[in-house]
Amino acid sequence: MVSIRKVHKPDRPPFEEWLDSLKLKASTKDKLRSISQTPDILLVGQEMVEILHELNMDDETLQASLVFPYCQQHELTDEEVGEQFGPAIQKLVCGVRRMDAIKSLHARNGRKADEGQIDNIRRMLLAMVEDVRAVLIKLAERICALQQLKDADEETRVLVARECANIYAPLANRLGIGQLKWELEDMSFRYLHPQTYKQIAGWLDERRADRQSYIKTFVADLQKALDDANIRAEVYGRPKHIYSIWKKMQKKHLTFEQLFDIRAVRIIAERLQDCYGALGVVHSLYKHIPREFDDYIATPKPNGYQSIHTVIVGPAGRSVEIQIRTQQMHQDAELGVAAHWKYKEGVSSERSAYEDKINWLRKILSWQEEVAESGDLVEELRSQVFDDRVYVFTPRGDVVDLPLGSTPLDFAYYIHSNVGHCCIGAKVSGRIVPFTYQLQTGDQVEVLTGSEPNPSRDWMHPGLGYVHSSRARAKIHTWFKKQDRDKNLQAGKDMLEHELTKAGIPLKETVKACERFNVHSLDDLYAAVGGGDVRIMQVVNFLQQLHAPPPEIDPRLKARKTPKGKTAKDSVVVEGVGHLMSQLAKCCQPLPGDPIQGYITQGRGVSVHRENCEQLQHLLDQHPERQIDVNWANEHAGAFQAEVDVYSADRDGILRDITTVLANEKVGLLGVNSLSNTQDHTAKIKLRLEVKDLNSLSKTITRLKQVKGVSDVIRLDR
């Protein structure tokens, strides 16, 4: 059944009258009134306010729900939202915007999720846990979106309805918000199966008068029986939702006439014992159907729902479904997390808020299992967002996202390097745990620290299980490197002296390698070698090349002239081995001016890479002996290729302005490929350029960044 709110009535009241009808506090009214002097454009926001007011939400939530459609309509940036409406509203609006990542759960069914999607979804989930009010605003916004689909084309109606049915209704169910869940399901069902919806609605209307009369008599008789038994409870009939009727017909293969729960009654008791007392009265008065009995009080549903369900055979042999629950259970069933998330003056204790966040997190982590459309993306999400991550909490209740297998030390180094260095112990949920304890989702972690840093070398040992993340291990390694400089310096000097003696090179020649390995002094070079930051054989090979005799040139080649035209590979000199065939690596596309390194291939000479090339590091990890030093020649001619990505606003004339910059800088354009994002009006433009050297490329990038609308320019590796 779909709710009809005041803003949709033909005689919709003026803004002030509508505001008064909500029975809000005077301060809340003043805040809502001050948001805009043109309330007509806030019609969608008004309905969102009504929805969330029914959930008893706080002032900030109501304000954010009123301005969110306005912010979307006028495409206000996060900063502009903060300037116009304040930081609290800005934070909530940003949280609702992050919820758009939820579309990836079904929009790309059957396709592989890229890393950006996974990161967006992870950030969305963390935002949901940090402030569940953003989720409630998004659910209200989706209900309004469904309301506005009446005049849309069929394709649009089906797309939005499917998204709400597959994503947002299960989310509302997981968070226990029955009031929104039923409305999302019924409206989505109306657009996805319009004929069936009308048919069931017609059946309900045809029997409404008879059903209402029957229920009125039944409620009165049952209320009298409970009063006579001194059970404090209130009985009333409840509406049946069309989607739930259809779902039960499909699940149990029943006709409309065979359904037990077309007639439904709810008993709201004051105390838990009254629930079971009322159940006894019901079963003593009427015969019940055993297979239709469920006790969700003793065994709550995964979303926390509690109630007793029973179906009895009432007067005239008609079946009636009866639900029995306490007032608190009723609040939880209708409002879910909203029943507990109260941002009033005087916030609940930190412990209570922390426990609530754990409960919400667990619900959200299990909600993804309810997503109707599975496929590669959901599997990827499960593995990359859930299965390989743990979500733990600081003592203040902040969420920390760590790799699966992380320990208290990983948590400490995530907080801050000094916290990790000074860590002497850890508590998980108030209990002391060893450093090797593997954190679980929902753990609250407290780090115990000493006054002085005192890491252990054992922490870096992968087999002992003290740290799991490379981030923590790198910080520990850096600390020991700084602490052990003297020890590393002497060890590096001894190692170099030993290897250089074997090669017949005096130790004093080592000073010539300082510039090559980017260190300021011999001591720095010795310490780098001793600490493992510079490989000893790199230094030895470099010095050997400096002392190698110049290659003898065949007299027959002395008269041969150098060709007039040079190519890019002629600009590279392979040191110490004479004329050796070389080629520029396509994976990183080095330019004159880039620090470079050579790799001896099989049959193709030396492949020249940028020093920071990941492909080169991978090759050297497998065959370190193939590394060879190369330098750019003093003179180089010809042109070199480079690729850049330009991120900009999608505006008219952007390509014209970019090509004008390239022409002014005398840079050749070999290819261009652009991709526009119609949702946020941005563009990504890939350029393949022909430049002289690194300096030319850097200058071009600087000029491109000055073009109006360009936000960033990044040089690419292939």
Side-chain angles (χ1 to χ4, degrees):
M1 304 295 287
V2 180
S3 299
I4 303 297
R5 300 183 174 85
K6 296 181 181 66
V7 294
H8 286 293
K9 293 180 179 178
D11 55 343
R12 178 168 61 89
F15 186 80
E16 285 293 331
E17 186 179 332
W18 167 81
L19 200 56
D20 290 337
S21 69
L22 295 181
K23 301 187 184 309
L24 298 168
K25 294 186 303 182
S27 59
T28 304
K29 290 182 181 179
D30 290 340
K31 290 174 182 176
L32 293 177
R33 189 179 293 113
S34 65
I35 284 176
S36 175
Q37 301 302 317
T38 54
D40 286 342
I41 65 171
L42 300 179
L43 179 60
V44 175
Q46 285 181 250
E47 182 173 8
M48 290 171 64
V49 169
E50 287 193 37
I51 294 170
L52 295 169
H53 176 54
E54 292 170 2
L55 299 181
N56 300 326
M57 295 310 294
D58 65 305
D59 291 357
E60 288 181 356
T61 306
L62 299 182
Q63 292 175 62
S65 65
L66 189 60
V67 306
F68 176 73
Y70 176 81
C71 297
Q72 293 296 93
Q73 178 183 354
H74 292 270
E75 299 181 356
L76 299 184
T77 65
D78 294 346
E79 292 74 17
E80 289 170 337
V81 175
E83 291 173 3
Q84 294 191 31
F85 306 111
I89 305 304
Q90 176 190 11
K91 183 178 179 182
L92 274 173
V93 169
C94 292
V96 181
R97 284 176 172 172
R98 287 196 195 101
M99 291 286 294
D100 283 340
I102 210 171
K103 295 178 181 177
S104 299
L105 288 172
H106 82 299
R108 292 173 175 265
N109 183 34
R111 292 171 55 184
K112 199 75 170 176
D114 60 36
E115 193 172 334
Q117 279 181 304
I118 297 298
D119 286 343
N120 287 337
I121 294 171
R122 181 179 290 124
R123 283 194 292 271
M124 176 202 71
L125 292 171
L126 291 177
M128 289 166 67
V129 178
E130 287 290 357
D131 200 334
V132 77
R133 295 179 297 173
V135 185
L136 302 179
I137 295 173
K138 185 64 178 180
L139 293 175
E141 185 270 334
R142 286 291 86 191
I143 289 176
C144 294
L146 288 169
Q147 291 276 20
Q148 294 174 321
L149 288 178
K150 295 176 183 178
D151 300 325
D153 59 88
E154 183 179 359
E155 183 180 2
T156 301
R157 290 200 301 266
V158 169
L159 285 175
V160 176
R162 183 176 292 130
E163 178 188 56
C164 290
N166 291 343
I167 301 296
Y168 292 100
L171 177 56
N173 177 60
R174 177 56 60 185
L175 297 178
I177 315 174
Q179 188 168 323
L180 301 187
K181 168 185 176 285
W182 291 120
E183 199 160 354
L184 285 164
E185 288 180 338
D186 270 10
M187 283 196 288
S188 298
F189 183 63
R190 181 171 67 184
Y191 295 128
L192 293 173
H193 304 279
Q195 297 302 321
T196 307
Y197 179 92
K198 291 178 182 177
Q199 188 177 40
I200 296 176
W203 289 336
L204 289 173
D205 282 339
E206 288 171 6
R207 291 163 174 77
R208 178 166 296 178
D210 174 59
R211 190 170 64 252
Q212 287 178 343
S213 175
Y214 183 92
I215 288 295
K216 183 178 179 180
T217 303
F218 182 88
V219 166
D221 292 344
L222 183 55
Q223 183 71 65
K224 184 177 183 303
L226 293 176
D227 293 341
D228 292 343
N230 294 319
I231 294 174
R232 292 175 288 181
E234 180 182 354
V235 186
Y236 63 92
R238 65 182 182 88
K240 192 63 182 174
H241 300 280
I242 292 177
Y243 175 77
S244 66
I245 292 175
W246 176 79
K247 191 174 180 182
K248 183 163 289 189
M249 290 171 62
Q250 296 296 311
K251 181 179 178 181
K252 298 189 175 183
H253 305 288
L254 301 174
T255 64
F256 183 80
E257 290 74 13
Q258 293 174 310
L259 291 178
F260 293 121
D261 53 357
I262 297 302
R263 291 163 290 276
V265 168
R266 186 169 284 153
I267 300 174
I268 306 297
E270 287 190 9
R271 303 172 302 172
L272 178 61
Q273 53 266 43
D274 290 333
C275 292
Y276 290 98
L279 178 66
V281 170
V282 170
H283 283 182
S284 65
L285 289 176
Y286 308 104
K287 179 182 179 181
H288 75 283
I289 302 175
R291 67 177 182 275
E292 296 296 328
F293 176 80
D294 293 291
D295 185 354
Y296 294 118
I297 292 180
T299 309
K301 288 185 177 182
N303 63 2
Y305 174 85
Q306 288 184 293
S307 184
I308 296 173
H309 292 193
T310 186
V311 177
I312 57 93
V313 179
R318 298 177 180 178
S319 60
V320 181
E321 183 193 53
I322 299 176
Q323 296 181 358
I324 309 171
R325 62 181 67 154
T326 65
Q327 183 63 42
Q328 183 60 57
M329 293 174 189
H330 180 62
Q331 284 286 102
D332 291 346
E334 294 299 300
L335 308 183
V337 296
H340 304 283
W341 190 270
K342 306 285 187 182
Y343 280 89
K344 308 292 184 185
E345 294 79 1
V347 183
S348 60
S349 67
E350 286 187 5
R351 179 66 185 171
S352 175
Y354 157 70
E355 290 173 346
D356 282 346
K357 282 188 177 182
I358 289 181
N359 291 331
W360 299 326
L361 181 59
R362 286 172 178 157
K363 289 175 182 177
I364 290 169
L365 292 178
S366 55
W367 150 73
Q368 52 91 21
E369 297 175 1
E370 297 183 12
V371 175
E373 292 188 13
S374 60
D376 287 346
L377 177 62
V378 175
E379 293 301 321
E380 193 86 358
L381 178 68
R382 185 177 293 112
S383 66
Q384 293 196 35
V385 177
F386 297 102
D387 289 351
D388 73 342
R389 311 298 297 181
V390 291
Y391 298 86
V392 297
F393 297 89
T394 68
R396 294 176 55 186
D398 296 326
V399 185
V400 175
D401 173 15
L402 294 170
L404 183 66
S406 293
T407 67
L409 281 173
D410 290 302
F411 175 88
Y413 277 104
Y414 180 93
I415 300 301
H416 195 276
S417 297
N418 287 336
V419 175
H421 295 335
C422 297
C423 181
I424 58 174
K427 289 182 179 180
V428 171
S429 302
R431 179 173 56 90
I432 294 288
V433 296
F435 282 153
T436 54
Y437 171 82
Q438 292 194 358
L439 299 175
Q440 306 296 317
T441 290
D443 283 345
Q444 182 197 34
V445 187
E446 178 184 356
V447 179
L448 307 177
T449 57
S451 57
E452 297 293 333
N454 189 30
S456 168
R457 288 185 180 275
D458 289 340
W459 293 358
M460 292 188 294
H461 196 295
L464 299 179
Y466 286 107
V467 293
H468 175 75
S469 64
S470 56
R471 173 177 177 169
R473 192 172 287 109
K475 289 184 176 182
I476 299 169
H477 174 75
T478 300
W479 190 86
F480 276 110
K481 186 171 69 174
K482 291 179 180 177
Q483 299 301 312
D484 296 341
R485 176 177 169 81
D486 292 341
K487 187 186 300 182
N488 289 338
L489 190 153
Q490 187 58 48
K493 183 177 181 180
D494 293 342
M495 292 162 61
L496 268 175
E497 186 173 17
H498 176 72
E499 292 296 330
L500 291 176
T501 299
K502 291 198 303 184
I505 301 173
L507 183 63
K508 63 181 181 180
E509 294 293 314
T510 312
V511 71
K512 298 178 181 178
C514 290
E515 183 178 355
R516 163 65 182 81
F517 293 100
N518 198 27
V519 293
H520 300 294
S521 65
L522 265 178
D523 286 351
D524 290 342
L525 181 60
Y526 294 150
V529 171
D533 295 323
V534 173
R535 297 174 185 171
I536 186 171
M537 292 313 298
Q538 285 182 311
V539 181
V540 173
N541 290 337
F542 175 76
L543 294 176
Q544 280 181 323
Q545 292 167 15
L546 291 181
H547 284 75
E552 297 222 358
I553 301 176
D554 190 328
R556 292 171 296 176
L557 299 177
K558 287 184 179 180
R560 188 173 298 172
K561 294 183 179 181
T562 303
K564 292 182 180 180
K566 288 189 176 182
T567 62
K569 64 181 181 180
D570 296 322
S571 300
V572 176
V573 176
V574 182
E575 296 190 356
V577 293
H579 299 287
L580 188 61
M581 181 174 63
S582 64
Q583 57 190 1
L584 301 182
K586 294 181 179 179
C587 55
C588 57
Q589 296 181 320
L591 301 175
D594 279 325
I596 53 176
Q597 189 61 260
Y599 178 83
I600 302 174
T601 66
Q602 292 184 341
R604 293 181 292 109
V606 175
S607 178
V608 180
H609 298 256
R610 283 153 61 183
E611 276 191 349
N612 60 356
C613 175
E614 292 184 0
Q615 178 67 17
L616 173 64
Q617 298 305 319
H618 176 71
L619 292 171
L620 291 179
D621 286 342
Q622 296 178 330
H623 300 287
E625 71 280 359
R626 294 193 180 185
Q627 179 178 326
I628 188 169
D629 286 323
V630 294
N631 286 318
W632 295 107
N634 293 331
E635 295 182 5
H636 48 264
F640 299 79
Q641 290 189 20
E643 292 185 358
V644 298
D645 273 352
V646 179
Y647 296 86
S648 71
D650 188 10
R651 65 171 178 85
D652 292 335
I654 185 68
L655 277 175
R656 178 198 63 218
D657 293 347
I658 288 174
T659 53
T660 299
V661 169
L662 299 180
N664 292 340
E665 294 300 321
K666 296 181 173 56
V667 170
L669 179 60
L670 302 178
V672 61
N673 185 27
S674 63
L675 179 65
S676 297
N677 187 327
T678 56
Q679 291 186 344
D680 57 10
H681 303 289
T682 60
K684 176 183 175 183
I685 305 170
K686 186 183 294 293
L687 304 175
R688 190 153 54 90
L689 307 177
E690 193 174 61
V691 297
K692 295 179 180 178
D693 51 26
L694 180 62
N695 183 53
S696 173
L697 178 62
S698 300
K699 187 177 178 182
T700 302
I701 289 176
T702 301
R703 294 287 187 269
L704 288 173
K705 288 182 178 180
Q706 296 171 356
V707 172
K708 180 183 177 182
V710 172
S711 58
D712 200 5
V713 182
I714 299 174
R715 180 185 176 187
L716 301 179
D717 294 338
R718 282 191 178 179

